[in-house]
Amino acid sequence: MGAFLFEHILISNSTAISGPDAYARQVSFLANLPLVFFLELFGIWLPILFHGLYGFYIWFRGDGNALEYPWTGNWMYTAQRWTGGIAFVYILWHTYTMRFTGNDLHENPAASFAKVQAEVHNPWLLAFYIVGLICASWHFAYGIWLFAAKWGIVSGDRAQQRLLRVCLAFFMLLSVVGLLSLYTFRARFQEPPTGTMTIVITDRPAASHGRPVH
């Protein structure tokens, strides 16, 4: 899961900042990886499904007490649960629309930039993209800290505080790069709508059916 988000936000999507051609090359590279279907199945879809459903199970088993004990740690933990739920819905929707609707980007990577661009030009979808991106970034970055602290990988208050600062900086990096990518899709490198017809007009005279052309 973490490797997928790292690659998706900081590598693949960031190539959009360089323009449609760079983004299409990255999509083509991923689409032509060996056994790409199984890489997606076992490296993305099933891990997301397991992580999401197990996360909902843990969430609904627990009792939220951020209002009774409004400590910073409690609010951050509550944010972790809510951002996880929002990110899960967002990732499912984003994966479905990009992978299984409209242009098949595995077959036509050149259409990838325009396909994302068409979505973010809808203000409601753009807002959903922004919220989903920030939620996924927070859930991933703060989740690293929770995992390391809970399992004793990083122990001691000072060490955990240093790791927390690193994770918060990582959250900012993911968010900023992701937002720059969205800005690029929205405002730069305007692509023509897919499926449009280009008409070429030349100054070559039309056929005269036997009559001389003056």
Side-chain angles (χ1 to χ4, degrees):
M1 277 289 297
F4 163 68
L5 284 176
F6 184 95
E7 189 282 330
H8 194 63
I9 296 174
L10 296 182
I11 299 177
S12 288
N13 278 1
S14 67
T15 61
I17 298 171
S18 299
D21 291 341
Y23 188 66
R25 285 194 298 270
Q26 179 64 17
V27 172
S28 178
F29 166 74
L30 294 175
N32 287 284
L33 289 173
L35 303 174
V36 64
F37 171 79
F38 296 101
L39 288 175
E40 290 179 327
L41 179 63
F42 294 107
I44 302 175
W45 303 333
L46 291 181
I48 288 175
L49 189 62
F50 171 79
H51 185 83
L53 294 179
Y54 186 64
F56 281 121
Y57 170 73
I58 293 174
W59 187 5
F60 290 119
R61 279 187 61 219
D63 293 322
N65 58 3
L67 294 178
E68 292 83 1
Y69 303 97
W71 303 328
T72 301
N74 261 359
W75 281 111
M76 294 178 78
Y77 184 82
T78 300
Q80 181 70 357
R81 304 276 73 81
W82 279 99
T83 55
I86 295 170
F88 180 69
V89 173
Y90 166 72
I91 291 172
L92 286 183
W93 172 83
H94 180 59
T95 301
Y96 172 73
T97 55
M98 288 293 106
R99 184 68 177 85
F100 300 107
T101 66
N103 266 318
D104 184 350
L105 301 184
H106 282 205
E107 298 295 330
N108 187 16
S112 55
F113 193 95
K115 186 172 183 178
V116 180
Q117 193 173 68
E119 292 211 333
V120 299
H121 270 81
N122 180 317
W124 292 103
L125 290 182
L126 176 63
F128 187 40
Y129 265 83
I130 292 172
V131 171
L133 166 69
I134 293 174
C135 286
S137 299
W138 172 267
H139 193 76
F140 178 27
Y142 188 63
I144 295 173
W145 184 86
L146 279 179
F147 176 79
K150 181 177 180 179
W151 291 93
I153 298 172
V154 176
S155 58
D157 290 341
R158 293 184 63 185
Q160 290 183 359
Q161 284 297 320
R162 286 195 293 268
L163 178 62
L164 180 59
R165 286 194 289 270
V166 171
C167 290
L168 292 178
F170 184 50
F171 159 67
M172 292 300 298
L173 175 65
L174 290 169
S175 299
V176 168
V177 173
L179 290 173
L180 282 174
S181 301
L182 288 177
Y183 170 77
T184 301
F185 284 118
R186 171 83 178 184
R188 301 178 62 208
F189 306 109
Q190 296 298 309
E191 290 277 279
T194 56
T196 58
M197 180 183 295
T198 301
I199 301 175
V200 179
I201 300 176
T202 69
D203 57 358
R204 184 178 177 180
S208 61
H209 303 290
R211 298 178 181 176
V213 177
H214 300 287

